[in-house]
Amino acid sequence: MRTGAMAKKNLDQKHKRLLARLAMGMCGLCGLQMWDMSMTREAHEFQRLPQPAFIGNVMADTPDLSGDRRQKAAKRLAEAKELLDEALELKAAGVSGKGLWYRVITEGEDGIGIRKAPRMDGPRVEDLVRGSVFEVDKLIQKEGQPIWLHLDDGRGWVFDLTPVDSDTPTVERIQGAYEYGRTIEELEADVEAARLELDRIRGAKRGAS
């Protein structure tokens, strides 16, 4: 009987030690999970913070090991060259521009409003901020009134105050503009910028290899 009791006691002690180890393991696992969740939350919080400019520069200068950035940069350069070549061909043929392009130059914080109809009390559906460039396919001009410009993309009408208030113009005509309202000089600058970007990415890749 005493032998049986001793064996039962030893078995109970083994069970207790096993349960203790399991409990410790579960606590460790819970702690690991809690640490992982905490780190995940911190990562999300970091992503929401405004990143200093140098972080973007570091990311941009990192080696393009996959080649994805190089391919995108090469595509941008090809597209910029195509637009420039088209503009140069038109200019050589005596065409001083393509389309009727305007730029918003108003000093107002809200820019100018796009309206559904060519009248001042027309519903305002959208705003064009200062610097916005847009193409026009129709004009309405009446003496003593603003010039109404219809956006080529169909969004609506904007007005040019120049005829009634030349001291506070809202828009200006872009002379010699081609695709996307870009002049030859701007298209050339686009090509150069795209070429420099591609060279920079290629250089970073060569430095990493």
Side-chain angles (χ1 to χ4, degrees), residues 88-125:
L88 291 173
E89 289 178 5
L90 289 172
K91 184 179 180 180
V95 180
S96 60
K98 182 180 180 181
L100 192 59
W101 293 90
Y102 283 81
R103 180 185 291 110
V104 178
I105 59 172
T106 182
E107 296 292 342
E109 294 183 0
D110 297 329
I112 58 175
I114 301 177
R115 303 180 186 278
K116 283 188 176 182
R119 60 177 191 270
M120 299 301 291
D121 62 349
R124 187 165 177 159
V125 296

Side-chain angles (χ1 to χ4, degrees), residues 20 173 188:
R173 170 83 183 275
E188 288 174 339

Side-chain angles (χ1 to χ4, degrees), residues 1-2 17-18 20 23 39 50 54 64 66 71-72 78 82 89 94 99 117 132 149 159 162 169 198 203:
M1 294 290 292
R2 290 184 60 185
R17 288 196 296 270
L18 178 60
M39 292 296 291
F54 75 86
D64 181 29
S66 67
Q71 292 177 2
K72 290 181 179 178
E82 183 179 352
E89 289 178 5
S132 297
L149 313 169
F159 56 82
T162 305
L198 180 58

Side-chain angles (χ1 to χ4, degrees), residues 12-13 18 20 33 48-49 53 66 77 83 98-99 103 113 116-117 125 129 162 175 182 184 195 198 201:
D12 289 342
Q13 290 176 346
L18 178 60
Q33 290 175 340
R48 285 199 291 266
L49 293 174
S66 67
L77 176 57
L83 291 175
K98 182 180 180 181
R103 180 185 291 110
K116 283 188 176 182
V125 296
V129 298
T162 305
Q175 301 293 336
R182 310 290 283 173
I184 296 261
R195 181 181 290 111
L198 180 58
I201 293 173

Side-chain angles (χ1 to χ4, degrees), residues 26-42:
M26 290 297 292
C27 289
L29 179 60
C30 291
L32 180 62
Q33 290 175 340
M34 291 175 65
W35 178 83
D36 181 68
M37 291 173 64
S38 176
M39 292 296 291
T40 302
R41 285 195 298 270
E42 290 179 3

Side-chain angles (χ1 to χ4, degrees), residues 47-84:
Q47 290 174 357
R48 285 199 291 266
L49 293 174
Q51 295 185 359
F54 75 86
I55 291 182
N57 295 336
V58 170
M59 294 178 66
D61 292 333
T62 54
D64 181 29
L65 300 179
S66 67
D68 183 60
R69 292 210 306 272
R70 180 182 59 80
Q71 292 177 2
K72 290 181 179 178
K75 182 179 179 181
R76 284 194 294 270
L77 176 57
E79 291 173 346
K81 284 182 176 179
E82 183 179 352
L83 291 175
L84 176 59

Side-chain angles (χ1 to χ4, degrees), residues 1 20 49 109 151 155 170 174 197 201:
M1 294 290 292
L49 293 174
E109 294 183 0
L151 275 65
R155 283 182 291 171
T170 51
I174 305 176
E197 174 68 7
I201 293 173

